[in-house]
């Protein structure tokens, strides 16, 4: 019996069940899910799962694809079509399909996928009788910003926070009040002494390729810079601020929170560094 999945209104064999390549779940992990136990064909703790699902959707401002009633009916139908007596049902809702861009897109239809799987109660009992082993690992959820992973939900939320305040980017701040990086850019300041400063690479930021190339160009040109973390206060009081990324190149920042940077126009060093980077790109192309 081939397994049947529910995908956006259709019941399909798994081999034909697919989602769009620009689904935000696929590109940004911008979605939520639930796994519900099925015992003797019945869903266990259905209401608890529904409540948590609605809460998760609400927190991410994703519209529910339908009301709870019809959703539960589809869940039962997926269980029935897969002949699951004991097992699980998996349900995933993403923000839907939109051209890739971090902030929440407007007017997308949430995508809904469900699958069901049989599990053997006997096997579960045998495992329980023997007991299982556990190991400890550091809780690094998510402490590996150096990996260019598609788990971009925190970055999406940061970019949306920027958009909500009519800002281009959000610079993220760690627990010690130090600036880490933008949601999709690296953060830089020029302090009152004219020194260019950016955070050193570590697991706390993505090692931007633009950042690295700009540093190399600065070295070649003998422009002094310092690789160190800087505080939000230093950011607010910087002579200049700019950001770097493959999409934005070197981009001057003229306001951070309520603080106007310099005289509110792109600073001269940022403008020069942008030109240096533009020249580097010209030479490399
Ligand atoms: C979190 C984060 N930091 C920094 C950057 C800048 O990296 P790059 O210069 O390689 O584009 C990006 C780019 O997407 C990013 O997602």
């Amino acid at each position: 019996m081939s397994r049947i999945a529910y995908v956006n209104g259709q019941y399909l064999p798994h081999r034909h069940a697919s989602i769009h390549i620009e689904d935000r779940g696929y590109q940004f992990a911008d979605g939520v899910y639930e796994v519900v136990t099925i015992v003797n064909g019945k869903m266990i703790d259905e209401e608890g799962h529904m409540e948590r699902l609605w809460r998760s959707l609400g927190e991410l401002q994703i519209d529910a694809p339908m009301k709870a009633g019809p959703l539960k009916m589809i869940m039962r139908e997926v269980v029935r079509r897969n002949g699951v007596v004991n097992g699980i049902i998996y349900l995933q809702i993403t923000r839907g399909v939109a051209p890739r861009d971090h902030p929440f897109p407007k007017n997308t239809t949430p995508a809904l996928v469900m699958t069901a799987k049989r599990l053997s109660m006997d096997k579960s009992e045998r495992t329980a009788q023997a007991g299982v082993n556990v190991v400890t690992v550091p809780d690094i959820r998510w402490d590996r910003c150096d990996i260019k992973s598609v788990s971009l939900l925190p970055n999406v939320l940061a970019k949306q926070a920027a958009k909500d305040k009519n800002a281009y980017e959000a610079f993220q701040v760690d627990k010690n009040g130090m600036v880490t990086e933008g949601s999709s850019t690296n953060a830089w300041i020029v302090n009152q002494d004219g020194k260019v400063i950016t955070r050193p690479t570590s697991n706390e930021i993505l090692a931007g390729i633009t950042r690295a190339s700009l540093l190399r160009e600065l070295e070649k040109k003998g422009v002094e810079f310092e690789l160190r973390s800087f505080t939000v206060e230093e950011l607010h009081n910087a002579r200049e601020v700019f950001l770097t990324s493959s999409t934005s190149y070197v981009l001057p920042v003229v306001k951070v929170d309520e603080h106007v940077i310099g005289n509110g126009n792109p600073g001269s060093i940022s403008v020069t560094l942008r030109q240096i980077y533009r020249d580097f790109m010209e030479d490399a192309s």
Side-chain angles (χ1 to χ4, degrees), residues 13 30 176:
D30 190 4
N176 303 317

Side-chain angles (χ1 to χ4, degrees), residues 7 13 19 35 73 83 86 98 105 116 118 125 138 143 180 186 196 216 225 231 237 253 261 280:
V7 185
I19 54 131
V35 173
M73 275 169 58
N86 295 318
R118 296 180 202 178
E125 277 310 307
D143 218 358
T180 52
N186 288 114
V196 176
R216 255 194 327 271
F225 59 83
T231 62
N237 297 319
V253 172
I261 306 300
F280 157 76

Side-chain angles (χ1 to χ4, degrees), residues 86-87 118-130:
N86 295 318
R118 296 180 202 178
L119 292 177
S120 152
M121 198 56 98
D122 289 347
K123 191 170 168 209
S124 173
E125 277 310 307
R126 283 197 299 279
T127 307
Q129 275 159 21

Side-chain angles (χ1 to χ4, degrees), residues 148 155 181-186 206-211 244-246:
K148 201 165 166 62
N155 310 52
E181 62 179 336
S183 66
S184 63
T185 61
N186 288 114
L206 183 73
I209 304 300
T210 316
R211 174 189 172 283
T244 55
S245 80
S246 303

